[in-house]
Amino acid sequence: MPELVPTDHYAEVVWMGRVPVDRPDIRSQPIARAELTYAGMADDHHAGLTRPSCVRVTAQYPKGTEIRNTRQLSILSAEELAAIAAEIGLEELDPRLLGASLVLRGIPDFTHVPPASRLQSEAGTTLTVDMLNGPCNLPAREIEREAAGHGKGFKKAAEGRRGVTAWVEREGPLAVGDRLRLHVPRQRAWAPT
């Protein structure tokens, strides 16, 4: 029996970006397509099979410990970006300011898709969802630089809407306009009590 179940939920890639390796900040630069490898997106700050551990995993490792890179991509939802923008008083929120790799449209409650879910293109390129991406202050600073007075509300507005991090399970091309199908684990939610 397959452990991943194809769903009837599809998303369209509506935006793609790459964070430069020699980045001065977290901003991504728009691109139309990319060839994804097991290391992620070439010439991207977050690419690599491994990465040094950061503040997100200090309960598991001392900062700087080499670990598997499950944060190769930052994937956001167009619908959730619109909700964040509305809450902080902006007409729209530019995904560049959040260091986004992909913006998808079409999967409801996207930030909360189960960890280990797959997003698979019609060409077979497959991304594995690690977990939700918690909001942080770095995008808030970039938003504030562009729209003074609006960045300070980002962290609260983005709670539960910041998208997910992911890594490449199957290499291949990905482009704006591609359609991705959501596959979810055949597993109930954890219920320790």
Side-chain angles (χ1 to χ4, degrees):
M1 170 172 33
E3 295 302 322
L4 291 163
V5 180
T7 71
D8 292 330
H9 295 282
Y10 291 85
E12 178 188 359
V13 178
V14 295
W15 190 91
M16 289 180 68
R18 177 182 287 127
V19 177
V21 174
D22 59 347
R23 68 185 191 149
D25 50 41
I26 69 158
R27 293 179 186 221
S28 44
Q29 299 172 341
I31 58 174
R33 68 177 325 276
E35 229 9 83
L36 300 182
T37 70
Y38 294 124
M41 194 181 295
D43 302 319
D44 185 273
H45 175 77
H46 299 101
L49 294 175
T50 63
R51 70 178 179 91
S53 63
C54 64
V55 298
R56 293 173 184 89
V57 291
T58 53
Q60 292 77 44
Y61 312 103
K63 192 173 178 189
T65 303
E66 186 176 11
I67 60 173
R68 172 76 166 105
N69 186 6
T70 58
R71 298 181 63 83
Q72 294 171 344
L73 303 166
S74 172
I75 308 175
L76 305 171
S77 154
E79 295 86 352
E80 291 172 346
L81 277 177
I84 295 168
E87 192 166 321
I88 63 174
L90 294 175
E91 259 185 63
E92 63 182 354
L93 186 51
D94 187 339
R96 292 179 319 112
L97 304 179
L98 281 67
S101 307
L102 302 173
V103 177
L104 306 180
R105 179 177 34 236
I107 297 178
D109 197 27
F110 179 72
T111 293
H112 299 282
V113 298
S117 293
R118 304 313 200 263
L119 295 162
Q120 188 171 56
S121 76
E122 291 167 346
T125 306
T126 306
L127 310 177
T128 299
V129 172
D130 179 45
M131 64 177 68
L132 68 80
N133 193 9
C136 70
N137 289 322
L138 296 177
R141 291 181 199 150
E142 298 306 315
I143 294 165
E144 195 63 27
R145 280 176 46 196
E146 296 290 318
H150 297 277
K152 62 183 177 231
F154 170 77
K155 195 169 175 180
K156 180 179 179 290
E159 189 66 43
R161 298 176 177 153
R162 181 69 169 85
V164 299
T165 59
W167 51 276
V168 177
E169 181 173 66
R170 182 172 182 220
E171 297 180 315
L174 198 62
V176 172
D178 283 357
R179 196 169 111 145
L180 303 176
R181 186 175 192 180
L182 177 66
H183 300 246
V184 296
R186 185 185 302 275
Q187 178 177 328
R188 67 166 176 74
W190 186 46
T193 57

